[in-house]
Amino acid sequence: MALAVAVAAALAARQPASALVWGLGCGLGHVLVRSGFGFASGYRRLIQRRDPHPVFAQLLLAALLVIAMALVLTAEPLTGLQPKLLATPLSLPFLAGAFLFGIGMERARACGCGTLAAASRGGGGVLAALIGLIVGAFLGTLHAPQLAALPLPRLPSPVGLELFGLLGALTLQLAFIVLIAVLLTRWSGQVPWRSPSRRLYGGAIAVALLATGLLLVTAEPWKVLWGLALSGAHAAQALGWDPGSSLFWGSPRGQALLAGPDAWLFNESVLVDLGLLYGAVATALAEGRFRWRGERSEPLPDLARRGFGGLLMGYGGVLASGCNVNAFLGGVMSFSLHGWIWLAVALAGFAASLRLRPAPGPAAPSD
């Protein structure tokens, strides 16, 4: 805690908002570890055990973020805060990216934020998945602009705000979330209020509060992959890669993002990722649960599988404009249909990977 406060003070001396972003990231890492809230583990339990309770918690998080966004938009005339709303076009690269992300999420046994939180357990598997995520996200930034320029079919994502206004869009999103919960209840025979893991709901509420804090500070939904992609680009540049060879990184915006260490450290997405990573590891250290070698040794094929899963997640996530956090939750809280489509396609990829060959090892509590 003392080190986290010291870092926040150092950041505040340069940019006060950066200290808030760092602190919120630390809080996210702490909550994910303590509550066991996650995405990939919930999908695995839903498909393999017909246990919908982790997904119920995810739906609760989505509903809270939708309400938070509606309140921020309502208060815009008073606060002057104009949040960035996401509306990713529906295209073949988007769908392929979401499917690849789903496969990678199952192979790596964690999603984007889950991989950062899983660093609290240590071990080579988590490190392999994290390296794969960074490399995959960086490679995605090299190819995404080229794919976007291809003459492929592309449809604008329907946005509820434009079609029904704020009240109508809010009502529609919440009604759809309730409908999914009802369908899961009938399919599984289990109801949300009898969950054996109530801490998941507490985790969902805490994550919603912290993500809303990020929305208020950064004026955009929480994102994970962009910080990893930027970290990969800085690392590649340090190793001799020429940013001018890339369509995106060679642009004025890309060059500004690679201008120096400050351009990396004070990037909001990077700070959130660093804070989440630190908060997760610090929480495990405080509880005496952190092990450098992990909970068990993993053979080389398992490490390669998790690293490849991270690579698919990073690459596919950039093509699909995000992961569970930015593409799914960010899309849903922006009242855009692409968030739900991303989730459906990613779940299809996850289920296909499970059917093909389930990844070995115990399920991660916060993956």
Side-chain angles (χ1 to χ4, degrees):
M1 187 61 135
L3 181 57
V5 172
V7 172
L11 292 171
R14 293 281 301 276
Q15 294 182 12
S18 297
L20 292 175
V21 173
W22 160 262
L24 290 166
C26 290
L28 285 167
H30 174 75
V31 168
L32 290 176
V33 171
R34 288 298 301 271
S35 68
F37 179 89
F39 292 95
S41 58
Y43 302 148
R44 190 180 300 274
R45 286 170 60 177
L46 178 69
I47 295 172
Q48 291 186 326
R49 308 180 198 171
R50 277 205 175 194
D51 179 4
H53 295 295
V55 176
F56 285 148
Q58 295 175 25
L59 293 175
L60 173 61
L61 171 59
L64 293 174
L65 290 178
V66 167
I67 295 172
M69 179 63 84
L71 293 174
V72 170
L73 291 173
T74 302
E76 182 180 328
L78 298 176
T79 62
L81 178 65
Q82 297 180 340
K84 178 182 179 181
L85 299 176
L86 309 179
T88 301
L90 307 178
S91 63
L92 291 179
F94 169 81
L95 297 175
F99 192 81
L100 288 176
F101 187 94
I103 295 175
M105 182 166 48
E106 195 280 324
R107 295 288 84 194
R109 303 191 66 82
C111 64
C113 65
T115 300
L116 294 173
S120 62
R121 298 190 303 276
V126 174
L127 180 61
L130 181 57
I131 293 175
L133 256 176
I134 294 173
V135 173
F138 169 61
L139 292 177
T141 63
L142 301 182
H143 299 153
Q146 300 172 356
L147 292 174
L150 294 177
L152 298 173
R154 184 183 304 269
L155 296 173
S157 176
V159 179
L161 281 176
E162 300 174 357
L163 299 174
F164 311 107
L166 180 56
L167 182 59
L170 173 64
T171 303
L172 184 63
Q173 285 289 56
L174 293 180
F176 191 68
I177 291 172
V178 171
L179 175 62
I180 295 176
V182 170
L183 292 176
L184 286 176
T185 297
R186 291 194 173 187
W187 175 72
S188 65
Q190 302 182 57
V191 294
W193 51 88
R194 293 181 182 173
S195 172
S197 303
R198 294 186 181 274
R199 67 190 180 110
L200 289 175
Y201 295 130
I205 294 171
V207 170
L209 292 173
L210 292 165
T212 301
L214 284 173
L215 176 64
L216 295 174
V217 175
T218 66
E220 60 182 346
W222 171 28
K223 53 188 175 183
V224 174
L225 286 185
W226 175 241
L228 299 176
L230 183 57
S231 298
H234 274 267
Q237 183 176 238
L239 293 174
W241 166 70
D242 178 18
S245 62
S246 165
L247 185 62
F248 172 75
W249 296 108
S251 67
R253 182 192 172 197
Q255 291 176 357
L257 290 168
L258 296 175
D262 283 0
W264 174 77
L265 180 59
F266 288 93
N267 181 272
E268 293 168 344
S269 186
V270 170
L271 274 174
V272 174
D273 289 348
L274 291 175
L276 198 160
L277 183 65
Y278 178 82
V281 173
T283 299
L285 284 170
E287 295 178 349
R289 295 194 287 120
F290 181 79
R291 300 290 183 273
W292 285 107
R293 296 183 178 180
E295 299 170 348
R296 65 184 182 91
S297 60
E298 297 184 69
L300 186 59
D302 292 356
L303 295 178
R305 189 176 295 111
R306 295 187 70 172
F308 183 64
L311 185 74
L312 288 180
M313 272 198 298
Y315 189 81
V318 170
L319 296 186
S321 298
C323 58
N324 289 282
V325 168
N326 195 239
F328 167 46
L329 292 177
V332 169
M333 68 189 292
S334 297
F335 308 100
S336 175
L337 183 62
H338 85 267
W340 294 113
I341 293 177
W342 184 96
L343 177 63
V345 177
L347 279 176
F350 191 94
S353 182
L354 268 178
R355 180 176 290 274
L356 177 65
R357 184 180 178 185
S366 60
D367 58 358

